[in-house]
Amino acid sequence: MWQSIAEQISTELDIDFQITDKASLNGGSVNLAWHIQGQGRQFFVKLNQRERLEQFENEQWSLQKLAQQGAIRVPEVICVGQTLDKAFLVLEYLPLQMETELGWQQLGEQLAALHARHEQAMFGFDWDNFIGLTVQPNQWQSNWSSFFSEQRLGWQLQLLAEQGFGVGNIDKMVEQSRQLLAQHKPLPSLLHGDLWRGNVGFTAEGPVVFDPACYFGDREADVAFTGLFARFPEAFYQSYQAVYPLHEGYQQRKSLYNLYHVLNHANQFRGSYLLQAQELIKQLFH
């Protein structure tokens, strides 16, 4: 397996790369992570079963889309592929440092700069991708309230119902969500899509983000998720607001946007996330 990965790195970079040292890394709940090195070069490798290749390809495309924007640093993609029994994604290896207030401030400024580039007229993406292990549909739509209510909430609610965990009348909740967003007319921004603390790091040169699930949507959905699990430090929000202030009504929409992620966690992990989803639904949909 490792020889096959080394050969593909060699082909992509037009070098003769041989792995002289490798070490397993902690952190990923979905994939195995490795640090490999040789000939003075280092790489970060994600491994999973062969059938996970599509997820790695989607991650590659999201990382490349973010890199094209030049607003926030992401690891450079080296290659993606398969061995006899594994799928792999090879990325630039970035040594991470302790977080600092300045780093969070820079991240806020950079995310605001990314969100301020309204280059797309519609909501969605050129392909469906994954949020964690769950398929994330991204069919292009011109209406944000319909896109979010149908392809985010409705999709997750349907997945839950199909597994025997229905939490209410799906059509009714989708319609109520559409009504809650009806007067909100955001411009599409490129979103990271899965922006929580576990997908943020800091290097000597500044912040870096990982594991995106990109699409063009309401920027408030990215910002909302930063406060759901282990809220980002205040320096992040202050610097974001200074560059691109959030619209009026954000505090009311924040819980609706985060319901998507709670439902996704309920779909993947059950347990307390199911209870959290039910509680949020009670608050939002009377």
Side-chain angles (χ1 to χ4, degrees), residues 96-153:
L96 300 182
Q97 301 184 343
M98 294 291 289
E99 62 184 63
T100 63
E101 185 170 346
L102 175 61
W104 285 109
Q105 180 183 320
Q106 290 173 325
L107 182 64
E109 292 166 353
Q110 292 170 8
L111 186 70
L114 173 73
H115 287 167
R117 296 180 183 180
H118 302 294
E119 62 181 44
Q120 174 56 244
M122 297 180 75
F123 301 98
F125 214 39
D126 284 334
W127 53 84
D128 295 343
N129 48 23
F130 293 85
I131 181 79
L133 291 175
T134 312
V135 171
Q136 178 171 262
N138 292 313
Q139 185 175 348
W140 292 107
Q141 287 183 250
S142 58
N143 184 292
W144 169 247
S145 64
S146 294
F147 176 89
F148 181 80
S149 302
E150 295 165 10
Q151 296 194 59
R152 293 297 178 260
L153 291 192

Side-chain angles (χ1 to χ4, degrees), residues 251-268:
Q251 291 300 328
Q252 285 70 50
R253 291 183 289 272
K254 182 168 70 171
S255 293
L256 182 64
Y257 291 158
N258 280 339
L259 176 58
Y260 171 60
H261 293 287
V262 174
L263 286 168
N264 183 49
H265 277 66
N267 263 306
Q268 293 184 92

Side-chain angles (χ1 to χ4, degrees), residues 259 273-285:
L259 176 58
Y273 296 114
L274 272 170
L275 298 175
Q276 191 178 358
Q278 289 167 337
E279 191 58 41
L280 259 180
I281 284 167
K282 275 186 207 168
Q283 293 172 20
L284 289 163
F285 309 129

Side-chain angles (χ1 to χ4, degrees), residues 34-221:
W34 288 80
H35 172 218
I36 62 172
Q37 53 187 322
Q39 293 86 48
R41 292 175 178 266
Q42 304 181 74
F43 302 101
F44 179 82
V45 182
K46 286 183 162 186
L47 291 174
N48 213 313
Q49 300 307 309
R50 268 180 72 89
E51 56 267 26
R52 299 286 187 205
L53 178 66
E54 186 183 359
Q55 284 172 264
F56 285 154
E57 289 174 336
N58 275 282
E59 183 175 343
Q60 170 193 26
W61 297 329
S62 284
L63 285 167
Q64 289 171 338
K65 187 67 176 177
L66 283 170
Q68 287 168 12
Q69 304 301 304
I72 304 179
R73 186 175 184 183
V74 295
E76 180 186 353
V77 177
I78 307 302
C79 56
V80 61
Q82 289 172 312
T83 66
L84 284 174
D85 63 342
K86 299 290 185 193
F88 63 86
L89 173 66
V90 181
L91 303 172
E92 166 190 18
Y93 179 76
L94 295 171
L96 300 182
Q97 301 184 343
M98 294 291 289
E99 62 184 63
T100 63
E101 185 170 346
L102 175 61
W104 285 109
Q105 180 183 320
Q106 290 173 325
L107 182 64
E109 292 166 353
Q110 292 170 8
L111 186 70
L114 173 73
H115 287 167
R117 296 180 183 180
H118 302 294
E119 62 181 44
Q120 174 56 244
M122 297 180 75
F123 301 98
F125 214 39
D126 284 334
W127 53 84
D128 295 343
N129 48 23
F130 293 85
I131 181 79
L133 291 175
T134 312
V135 171
Q136 178 171 262
N138 292 313
Q139 185 175 348
W140 292 107
Q141 287 183 250
S142 58
N143 184 292
W144 169 247
S145 64
S146 294
F147 176 89
F148 181 80
S149 302
E150 295 165 10
Q151 296 194 59
R152 293 297 178 260
L153 291 192
W155 172 256
Q156 291 282 350
L157 289 165
Q158 185 62 38
L159 290 177
L160 265 185
E162 287 171 3
Q163 297 175 72
F165 295 98
V167 289
N169 185 310
I170 295 174
D171 290 342
K172 184 178 177 184
M173 286 186 280
V174 166
E175 185 54 38
Q176 286 180 298
S177 170
R178 192 181 279 113
Q179 290 170 11
L180 286 170
L181 294 172
Q183 302 307 311
H184 180 51
K185 306 291 183 186
L187 293 170
S189 298
L190 179 63
L191 308 187
H192 176 284
D194 195 7
L195 194 60
W196 68 290
R197 273 194 187 235
N199 290 341
V200 174
F202 298 91
T203 70
E205 293 79 35
V208 58
V209 295
F210 320 104
D211 298 345
C214 288
Y215 66 98
F216 287 90
D218 180 5
R219 66 194 179 102
E220 292 180 358

